[in-house]
Amino acid sequence: MRITDEVAGALADRLPVVALESTLLAHGLPPGRNREVATEVENAVRAAGAVPATIAVLDGQIRVGLTGTELDRLCAAGSGLAKLSARDLGPAIALHHDGATTIAGTSVIAHAAGIPVFGTGGLGGVHLPPPGDALSWDVSADLDVLSSTPITVVCSGVKSVLDISATIEVLETRSVPVLGYRTGFFPAFYRRESRFALSWRVETPEEVAAVVRAHREHGPGSGVLLTNPIPAADEMSQDLHDRLLAEGMARVAEDGVRGGDVTPVLLDHFHTASAGVSLDANVALVLSNVTLAAEVAVALHTS
């Protein structure tokens, strides 16, 4: 593991640090825009008083914090990079590959480096059943990693192309507390609220920090999920969202798409058919989440 001097210095001095994933940059955003967002995200973390630590694997080495040149390289490679979940870290390191880390992969590395807070876009979850099937066995590794890794993940819930109800049930079964930031309902990524109520609501970064500290002391060793709705001004309209989802599901059924390919196909349809609305919404919620993550990191540091 190689940690940049900036991040290593902050950790040594016990200053607030926020982990950032690299899959968002490589696989979630188009070329050019991804590099712009990489800078915007890191600047947002710094503006809120914390040090950003973007995480990836380059030349078979875990990198915690990326230089400008490394961010250029990551963003230029884009979707050509391997997508590294927690299970993929060993092979990528041993075989000297490059890769962008998912929420699961980033969480494992961040915890190992001593970074307690992670800001991202949308958590992985339980996938909707393929057309013609009664249920899905496709469950994101993000959920299991969060259940066994004591890290606080700030996100905008899960995308509405996933099974939100089943995802919430898995989080409950895995003893992961789910907090709503100034909301009583689980967010649905492009939409501020789903129809699923949450048990716990928090109003300030200081309240989040208090929950995190108590959970560390008395909880089962799992992480904490802080759900932060997309800013109201950037929320996708209900009509557009429902139309895109219906069109995307029809495309999945028509093309016989199954398994892990379903969500990428649906998201690609959202991006192409919304004339950029979904992409702008994605960027807005990520910036909101990493800012909140930095505020929580600061609250943990000062309390």
Side-chain angles (χ1 to χ4, degrees), residues 18 32 36 42 49 65 75 97 101 104 123 134 153-154 163 166 175 193 205-206 236 239 243-244 246 253 259 281 294:
V18 173
E36 294 172 359
E42 292 201 345
C75 292
H97 283 199
T101 52
L123 187 73
V153 176
V154 184
D163 189 329
S175 297
E193 293 181 351
E206 290 73 23
M236 183 181 291
D239 288 346
R243 175 175 66 79
L244 293 173

Side-chain angles (χ1 to χ4, degrees), residues 21-42 54 71-81 279 283:
E21 65 160 297
S22 46
T23 290
L24 167 71
L25 302 176
H27 297 273
L29 297 169
R33 185 75 181 274
N34 57 357
R35 187 62 182 88
E36 294 172 359
V37 172
T39 298
E40 291 173 10
V41 166
E42 292 201 345
T54 303
L71 281 171
D72 290 342
R73 173 179 167 185
L74 176 91
C75 292
S79 59
L81 280 182
L279 186 59
V283 172

Side-chain angles (χ1 to χ4, degrees), residues 102-193:
T102 65
I103 290 178
T106 303
S107 296
V108 169
I109 294 170
H111 175 60
I115 302 172
V117 183
F118 170 19
T120 187
L123 187 73
V126 180
H127 288 239
L128 291 167
D133 290 358
L135 53 85
S136 171
W137 294 99
D138 189 352
V139 181
S140 172
D142 294 352
L143 305 184
D144 272 354
V145 167
L146 189 55
S147 75
S148 59
T149 308
I151 189 168
T152 299
V153 176
V154 184
C155 70
S156 293
V158 299
K159 297 179 180 68
S160 55
V161 299
L162 300 177
D163 189 329
I164 298 176
S165 177
T167 299
I168 294 172
E169 289 296 329
V170 170
L171 288 166
E172 178 182 349
T173 301
R174 300 290 192 272
S175 297
V176 177
V178 181
L179 313 178
Y181 191 70
R182 299 174 182 172
T183 182
F185 292 86
F186 195 83
F189 200 73
Y190 298 124
R191 298 287 300 164
R192 286 179 58 80
E193 293 181 351

